[in-house]
């Protein structure tokens, strides 16, 4: 069974979108990941905006995200 990534800040289990978004926003080679709400907190953005960003990156064909 593959080990699922957890948010380094709050320990929440992460979706692929969340790990991909961390890579996109923080560092492509990131080895520590954040959940959506911790990312929102970190960047002082709302979770809604981050969800829209995920959709944006997907529509741009970013390969970090699942199609
Ligand atoms: Zn978190």
């Amino acid at each position: 069974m593959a080990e699922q990534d957890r948010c380094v800040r709050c320990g929440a289990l992460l979706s692929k979108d969340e790990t991909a978004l961390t890579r996109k926003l923080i560092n492509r080679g990131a080895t520590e990941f954040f959940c959506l709400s911790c990312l929102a907190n970190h960047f002082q953005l709302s979770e809604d905006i981050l969800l829209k960003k995920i959709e944006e990156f997907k529509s741009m064909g970013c390969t970090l995200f699942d199609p």
Side-chain angles (χ1 to χ4, degrees):
M1 197 159 58
E3 202 179 313
Q4 211 175 343
D5 288 311
R6 281 176 182 274
C7 174
V8 291
R9 214 166 133 189
C10 71
L13 283 174
L14 300 175
S15 69
K16 273 200 119 181
D17 283 349
E18 287 168 320
T19 55
L21 191 63
T22 302
R23 285 206 169 100
K24 216 48 197 175
L25 295 179
I26 294 179
N27 178 352
R28 228 172 199 288
T31 52
E32 296 184 326
F33 302 102
F34 299 93
C35 68
L36 205 64
S37 56
C38 290
L39 276 175
N41 236 304
H42 181 77
F43 289 102
Q44 306 270 293
L45 295 167
S46 77
E47 292 182 32
D48 275 0
I49 290 178
L50 292 181
L51 285 171
K52 286 205 185 97
K53 287 228 165 280
I54 289 175
E55 292 310 313
E56 248 178 63
F57 288 135
K58 280 184 183 176
S59 68
M60 281 159 41
C62 177
T63 53
L64 290 173
F65 294 87
D66 279 338

